[in-house]
Amino acid sequence: MRLADKVALITGAASGIGKETASLFAQEGAKIVAVDLNDSDGEKTVSEVNSAGGDAIYVNANVSKSSDCEHMVKAAEEKYGKLNVMFNNAGIMDSRDDNAQVTEEEVWDLTMAINLKGVFLGCKFGIPAMQKAGGGSIINTASFVGLMGAATPQVAYTASKGGVISLTRELAVIHARENIRVNALCPGPLRTELLMKFLDTEAKKQKRLVHIPMGRFGEAKEMAKAALFLASDESSYTTGTEFVVDGGITSAYVTPE
Ligand code: NAD
């Protein structure tokens, strides 16, 4: 088992990438602290993990709140005695997010609070726990849009993910000699609720698919497998990376028809 004896905290575990990761990490031997705001779906993740023979607890936390992030890390230590893996994965894409002129400050602030400050707070409270544990692996979910401009305007989302990548690099450098690795996972467009609620017609899907060399959306399960590599000791020399898992989208350009 690739995560035997490890304790992993996963935010955004009620849905999409976080849910699939909770299940995969548990199959690989990790004890799971599943964190979300959506209690019913978060509890569902945990009951599925536990009925498949895993060991998981659910913790309600809003990652944009300092006291909640402190609480979720404490809950991990109280239940399982330590923290080895922190997957700062919760995020939102607000339907009102647009270009700079149109996007309201409220949308900017909310997006930054969850997508960027949420990652900062996870690290703020997760890192001391990892120092106590003798090291660990932090995975911060960014996005391919943090590496390039998105064709569909969503300035707050894109800027928040760029911030996650920069924060990740700096923390990786600061904590490298403490045996704490910090990597950003940069997914391409995925077939999860977050994106599909916007791409709700075949025409909209096709407009996006034309940019993806593989010609399909990624699956949450495929991100879980990448997160597993970053969480496990197999990635022991990997830190500060933008770990891109995107069907080739960041390598492609499209000539308009
Ligand atoms: P999802 O909507 O399926 O899951 C996100 C989860 O985060 C939900 O369970 C939600 O309840 C939770 N969440 C939202 N705000 C929260 C908060 N303040 N505190 C705690 N939990 C909160 O989306 P997903 O596709 O699995 O996205 C996971 C991550 O991947 C996000 O950071 C997203 O930006 C990123 N991402 C997604 C895509 C994509 O195409 N879906 C692409 C690149 C990056």
Side-chain angles (χ1 to χ4, degrees):
M1 290 218 249
R2 295 161 73 185
L3 296 178
D5 301 323
K6 295 202 193 281
V7 178
L9 188 158
I10 301 167
T11 70
S15 172
I17 299 174
K19 182 178 174 73
E20 292 297 340
T21 304
S23 156
L24 183 61
F25 280 17
Q27 284 166 38
E28 292 293 339
K31 308 221 171 17
I32 307 296
V33 180
V35 172
D36 212 284
L37 280 177
N38 180 337
D39 293 344
S40 57
D41 288 354
E43 296 280 11
K44 199 162 162 236
T45 296
V46 163
S47 68
E48 285 170 14
V49 166
N50 289 337
S51 44
D55 187 349
I57 54 164
Y58 173 69
V59 178
N60 172 292
N62 180 341
V63 296
S64 67
K65 289 195 179 152
S66 188
S67 54
D68 284 16
C69 290
E70 188 172 14
H71 168 69
M72 72 189 183
V73 171
K74 251 193 206 141
E77 290 185 306
E78 271 165 21
K79 172 73 181 175
Y80 297 120
K82 59 175 184 166
L83 180 67
N84 305 112
V85 176
M86 178 100 192
F87 189 14
N88 293 307
N89 167 71
I92 58 158
M93 189 187 276
D94 196 296
S95 59
R96 298 162 296 169
D97 194 359
D98 202 297
N99 62 30
Q101 304 97 290
V102 168
T103 303
E104 301 287 349
E105 279 185 62
E106 178 209 337
V107 172
W108 175 272
D109 289 345
L110 178 67
T111 304
M112 288 296 165
I114 297 172
N115 291 8
L116 182 53
K117 188 178 165 193
V119 172
F120 159 68
L121 291 173
C123 294
K124 185 177 183 62
F125 295 105
I127 286 169
M130 287 187 178
Q131 287 169 330
K132 272 190 258 163
S137 172
I138 298 175
I139 306 149
N140 297 326
T141 305
S143 168
F144 75 101
V145 301
L147 298 166
M148 57 201 299
T152 315
Q154 43 170 20
V155 290
Y157 185 83
T158 299
S160 73
K161 295 303 188 179
V164 169
I165 291 168
S166 303
L167 173 67
T168 298
R169 280 198 206 107
E170 180 137 328
L171 290 174
V173 172
I174 294 170
H175 297 287
R177 293 188 188 209
E178 294 171 357
N179 198 28
I180 298 173
R181 298 182 296 103
V182 193
N183 290 286
L185 176 64
C186 297
L190 306 181
R191 208 167 53 85
T192 64
E193 177 62 21
L194 183 120
L195 183 62
M196 290 305 127
K197 68 174 186 267
F198 295 104
L199 307 185
D200 52 0
T201 66
E202 198 45 40
K204 286 186 197 167
K205 286 192 179 76
Q206 288 306 327
K207 206 173 151 198
R208 185 63 64 94
L209 282 172
V210 79
H211 295 278
I212 307 171
M214 284 191 182
R216 66 171 177 86
F217 294 105
E219 301 292 335
K221 273 189 168 54
E222 294 174 305
M223 301 309 118
K225 286 179 186 163
L228 173 60
F229 170 70
L230 293 172
S232 76
D233 296 339
E234 289 161 24
S235 58
S236 53
Y237 200 53
T238 305
T239 198
T241 64
E242 299 118 36
F243 201 85
V244 178
V245 188
D246 72 344
I249 194 168
T250 51
S251 298
Y253 72 92
V254 176
T255 311
E257 293 293 313

